[in-house]
Amino acid sequence: MQPKTLGEFVIEKQHEFPYSTGELSTLLNSIRLAAKVVNHHVNKAGLTDILGAAGNNNVHAEEQQKLDVLANRLFIDALVNREIVCGIASEEEENYVSVAGMKSDNMNKYVVLIDPLDGSSNIDVNVSVGTIFSIYRRISPVGQPVTLEDFLQPGRKQVAAGYVIYGTSTMLVYTTGHGVNGFTLNPALGVFYLSHPQMKFPEKGKIYSINEGNYVHFPLGIKKFIKYCQEEKDDRPCTSRYIGSLVSDFHRNMIKGGVYLYPPTSKHPSGKLRLLYECNPMAFLAEQAGGKASDGYRDILDIEPVELHQRVPFYVGNRDMVERIEEFIQIYD
Ligand code: AHG
Ligand code: MN
Ligand code: MN
């Protein structure tokens, strides 16, 4: 039997939302479309450099942009032009974009937050990158411009979240609070097919993912956790894997079992990752896949954000491993 397409799946699941008007389905479909366009650009990233070097800067001028800037514009344009959200906040934009202000009859109720290209330093070396998205229902009244408060909602309030991974194959993985489902792009047809239904972290995690180059700057609890992972005991040592792209590291850990860590360092005293564009959506996915996300003390999803580009320490993955990290932090820090 032919697997379900993402488009079919989204429509089929619409009933899971009481009083649904189809707005969220349309929104998810626009993200799907934007993901395909970004995928097209990411796939020819190396080629773009060659074309750029030829000095052709008319048609290719746009393609010579840094890919994270381009991905940002492609996602924002896709959402703004279709008038399906009332506001967008992006890691690449200082302020949020208000869509409601552009059209007086805009009655849309959702805001979107995105990290348009995650792991962008990997682009130059042909390693997987991703896009992360997070969707909330606005809290200010419809028909009016969005407010900052619409974006500063705790992760618990997310209506949907997901990521696109531009990897060996391109996948879109998302949740609306009813489990996590993964779809793989058939590039010949330009269609995403349901390939990973109801994704779950395996019972036991065996991988730890952290930039160990920063070791000397880590809090003591994290140093102890790393040593614990390396210990020859029970089912340890763990395996160390770090791509340097949260999307890819998270995706692998969800499938194989493991934990991703970005602790505070002297360079990034509050951690490096952004609560709204990276941590909250990944935390929602983790929880829906049976895992957990923490800043070391609190569940990520319970944090009340205070600013758009807020950073937090981030530990996400298998529940038992995240809880172990919290224990180590409690004991040693
Ligand atoms: P972005 O490319 O959106 O700025 O995110 C990069 C993030 C994350 O994806 C990755 O895990 C982490 O930064 C890597 O940081 P280090 O290079 O400090 O390890
Ligand atoms: Mn990122
Ligand atoms: Mn980014």
Side-chain angles (χ1 to χ4, degrees):
M1 206 180 76
Q2 181 85 337
K4 223 166 259 155
T5 69
L6 174 55
E8 288 166 348
F9 186 87
V10 166
I11 299 295
E12 192 185 299
K13 295 292 171 192
Q14 207 170 290
H15 74 269
E16 284 174 350
F17 295 89
Y19 316 113
S20 165
T21 54
E23 208 175 308
L24 183 63
S25 304
T26 315
L27 172 48
L28 288 168
N29 284 334
S30 302
I31 289 176
R32 175 190 61 167
L33 183 68
K36 281 194 247 182
V37 179
V38 172
N39 177 60
H40 170 74
H41 286 277
V42 167
N43 272 335
K44 59 187 178 74
L47 260 185
T48 307
D49 283 342
I50 296 167
L51 295 173
N56 189 345
N57 56 6
N58 44 17
V59 202
H60 301 298
E62 173 191 276
E63 291 169 342
Q64 286 162 22
Q65 281 187 51
K66 278 199 71 191
L67 263 170
D68 40 8
V69 178
L70 180 60
N72 181 50
R73 222 197 58 213
L74 290 169
F75 267 96
I76 291 184
D77 286 354
L79 298 171
V80 169
N81 292 340
R82 297 169 138 232
E83 292 170 29
I84 36 149
V85 288
C86 52
I88 305 163
S90 163
E91 192 192 77
E92 295 291 332
E93 304 277 337
E94 201 180 321
N95 296 310
Y96 62 83
V97 178
S98 171
V99 183
M102 298 177 190
K103 271 222 138 197
S104 52
D105 62 347
N106 188 317
M107 297 298 282
N108 296 321
K109 51 181 182 290
Y110 295 108
V111 294
V112 175
L113 296 97
I114 51 167
D115 176 356
L117 208 69
D118 172 68
S120 47
S121 64
N122 281 328
I123 273 282
D124 296 341
V125 290
N126 207 351
V127 173
S128 301
V129 290
T131 296
I132 309 174
F133 61 90
S134 165
I135 302 173
Y136 294 83
R137 198 167 284 118
R138 68 184 299 176
I139 46 182
S140 61
V142 286
Q144 292 180 20
V146 278
T147 62
L148 183 60
E149 282 63 44
D150 293 321
F151 298 95
L152 298 184
Q153 300 187 53
R156 275 280 162 236
K157 292 271 165 70
Q158 286 172 105
V159 173
Y163 58 81
V164 185
I165 175 164
Y166 312 100
T168 329
S169 53
T170 294
M171 284 188 70
L172 192 150
V173 175
Y174 83 103
T175 184
T176 53
H178 299 270
V180 177
N181 290 286
F183 300 79
T184 304
L185 181 68
N186 178 334
L189 304 177
V191 178
F192 281 103
Y193 288 102
L194 178 61
S195 51
H196 296 62
Q198 288 297 328
M199 297 176 84
K200 290 277 174 220
F201 281 91
E203 192 83 7
K204 280 238 54 97
K206 284 217 65 174
I207 300 171
Y208 71 103
S209 312
I210 186 166
N211 186 341
E212 253 176 282
N214 295 326
Y215 186 86
V216 293
H217 304 290
F218 290 156
L220 185 58
I222 299 303
K223 288 179 175 162
K224 294 276 187 191
F225 176 76
I226 293 172
K227 289 299 160 217
Y228 164 85
C229 289
Q230 295 169 344
E231 227 168 52
E232 200 84 48
K233 204 169 170 197
D234 305 327
D235 51 357
R236 286 167 280 144
C238 298
T239 298
S240 165
R241 289 282 182 273
Y242 189 72
I243 297 172
S245 143
L246 170 65
V247 168
S248 317
D249 282 307
F250 177 91
H251 185 74
R252 181 205 51 245
N253 289 352
M254 181 163 62
I255 292 174
K256 300 246 183 190
V259 69
Y260 173 96
L261 304 89
Y262 212 109
T265 62
S266 39
K267 196 165 149 213
H268 297 291
S270 310
K272 181 187 175 192
L273 300 188
R274 318 274 185 156
L275 174 61
L276 298 183
Y277 315 109
E278 292 166 321
C279 307
N280 272 337
M282 290 315 204
F284 189 20
L285 287 159
E287 200 170 87
Q288 286 294 316
K292 179 179 164 78
S294 166
D295 70 350
Y297 303 93
R298 297 168 291 181
D299 205 312
I300 289 288
L301 295 173
D302 293 329
I303 298 175
E304 292 277 349
V306 289
E307 56 178 348
L308 272 183
H309 298 289
Q310 187 171 343
R311 296 173 198 265
V312 281
F314 192 45
Y315 311 106
V316 65
N318 273 73
R319 178 166 285 278
D320 56 328
M321 292 180 96
V322 175
E323 282 169 358
R324 184 62 47 118
I325 292 169
E326 286 179 330
E327 274 168 38
F328 275 100
I329 290 175
Q330 280 238 312
I331 299 169
Y332 295 105
D333 295 317

